[in-house]
Amino acid sequence: MGNSIMSPLISKFSNQEASLPISPSNLIWFRSTSVMDQTPIGDKKRQRSRSSVVSQTTVHSLEHDILCFIFSFLDFFDLVRCSVVCKSWNSIVNKSKLLQLFCYKQQQMGFVGVSNRSSNSEESLKLYLEEIAMKHHRLALQEGVIHIDQWKGHSAGVDQCRMKMGLLLTGVGDKIVGLVGTRICIWRRNGTRSIFSSRESTFSKGLCMRYFDPEAVVGCEDGTARVFDMYSRKCSQIIRMHAGPITSLCLSDDQLILSGSSLGSITISGLQSDQRVAKLRSTDSTAGIRTLCFNPCSHVVFAGSTAGYASCWDLRTMRSLWETRISPNVIYSLQLLRNDKSTLVAGGIDGVLRILNQNTGEVVSSIVLDGNRSSSQHRHGAIERFKGRRLSEDTRIDSIPGSSRRPITCLAVGMKKVVTTHNSRYIRLWKFNK
């Protein structure tokens, strides 16, 4: 949790205790060390007796009113995090109306957009809390201080990543569906891997894949998209989408397949039928489509090209909204936080992490890794810690050392954080604090 958590309470502890992050386990640690410190040094028997009693005390021993008092010092993000720790904490946060009280305080402070919305109903409360969260996320990405953790994740190059329920998945993970040459594989957390092939002699090399339970869609070199049922392990559908190789895929919530080709076009087809719905094309027809990203909230699709262009189309009207060149080289990945309608994150071969305005395509911030670092040991290996540096508009990219901008092969966006993978086997976690 953030450094601002429970600051009125932390100040009562010693400097050593206050330096720890707050969590249920640390609340126990605070109490046990405070009692131990009061024990006379010479009385070992009394010390063992007290530590035995304290060790049996857990955070669940605290009464409802005490937890409410503690939670009342938290800010919005920390309060929401506490509400998903366990059922008892969720019940306390909801029954004590702490989130409603937070919204009321924001109204008293004159937050923009609150006066036209009542915070009494549960639905309006959720909408308002989401609005605040997205605003914090946008400001953090655009203006926040950046801290970066870097570690080696694989013995070979990494080109896929995503975040799910607090876990970072790169390459493989907890029941992850992936593509290896002409085979679809399923990896599980226990390390086992199951492999199944498609129909005999009908599967050309797959270049990209997207998974939408229970179906996996593979984009192939021959311009077809092949739909596989993960339960029957059979190819259920073959859709001809392009004359050239399919280099990128994304799936919409309403069962649409969007595919980009090396020829610079985007084709939209239905997942339940092989009918082509529409075809989109950028103004630069010589550049291939390298990555696609769909925003279900605004019904727009973003594309990154091999020539460094980022484009946006509205799928309701099939019209282009904007197109701009954000990089001198290929863009490997475009991603956004679900429910966010304001910011888009891009990464490519030049290794610069770019924050874009979804509505205009304007690059609002360009970020690279700063050279100064510190290291720490983790049970999975060494973690190097850096700070991020925002670039000015007149900065020449080629003047920045290559170690500070390793090519970004894939990225994933979380709340006030971005994960990037690099084909040099590195994984980076970019944390934005506003």
Side-chain angles (χ1 to χ4, degrees), residues 262-290:
S262 59
L263 303 178
S265 62
I266 299 172
T267 299
I268 305 172
S269 299
L271 188 58
Q272 301 303 325
S273 66
D274 57 358
Q275 297 297 317
R276 183 181 296 179
V277 177
K279 190 171 185 177
L280 309 174
R281 182 173 288 276
S282 63
T283 56
D284 184 10
S285 58
T286 61
I289 303 298
R290 191 62 180 81

Side-chain angles (χ1 to χ4, degrees), residues 79-115:
L79 189 59
V80 171
R81 290 189 183 104
C82 286
S83 70
V84 296
V85 168
C86 60
K87 289 183 179 180
S88 61
W89 284 21
N90 180 272
S91 177
I92 292 173
V93 171
N94 289 326
K95 289 183 178 180
S96 59
K97 305 293 184 181
L98 288 173
L99 288 174
Q100 288 87 336
L101 179 61
F102 173 83
C103 290
Y104 176 75
K105 289 180 179 179
Q106 301 303 302
Q107 289 178 345
Q108 296 299 106
M109 295 172 62
F111 248 77
V112 178
V114 179
S115 57

Side-chain angles (χ1 to χ4, degrees), residues 149-153 168 381-384 425-429:
D149 290 346
Q150 175 179 279
W151 64 95
K152 287 187 178 181
L168 168 60
I383 296 178
E384 296 176 308
R425 304 188 299 273
Y426 284 104
I427 302 170
R428 288 176 182 170
L429 173 62

Side-chain angles (χ1 to χ4, degrees), residues 113-225:
V114 179
S115 57
N116 298 327
R117 183 178 295 158
S118 171
S119 61
N120 296 327
S121 70
E122 183 177 349
E123 185 62 27
S124 61
L125 176 63
K126 289 181 179 179
L127 291 174
Y128 175 60
L129 293 177
E130 182 179 301
E131 180 182 303
I132 295 178
M134 292 302 106
K135 181 176 181 180
H136 277 258
H137 174 71
R138 173 176 55 83
L139 292 176
L141 261 61
Q142 294 181 4
E143 305 171 4
V145 178
I146 309 153
H147 297 276
I148 304 168
D149 290 346
Q150 175 179 279
W151 64 95
K152 287 187 178 181
H154 297 266
S155 58
V158 184
D159 61 0
Q160 291 294 323
C161 70
R162 65 185 176 117
M163 284 184 279
K164 181 180 179 182
M165 298 180 66
L167 297 175
L168 168 60
L169 312 175
T170 61
V172 298
D174 186 7
K175 194 182 176 182
I176 302 302
V177 180
L179 185 66
V180 179
T182 62
R183 302 270 182 119
I184 293 179
C185 304
I186 303 175
W187 288 269
R188 291 177 174 82
R189 180 176 290 182
N190 60 12
T192 61
R193 183 181 71 165
S194 57
I195 305 174
F196 65 96
S197 60
S198 63
R199 291 179 179 175
E200 190 105 18
S201 304
T202 61
F203 191 96
S204 64
K205 184 179 180 182
L207 300 178
C208 53
M209 194 203 76
R210 286 295 179 267
Y211 176 58
F212 195 99
D213 192 31
E215 295 171 311
V217 182
V218 179
C220 302
E221 274 187 341
D222 61 1
T224 61

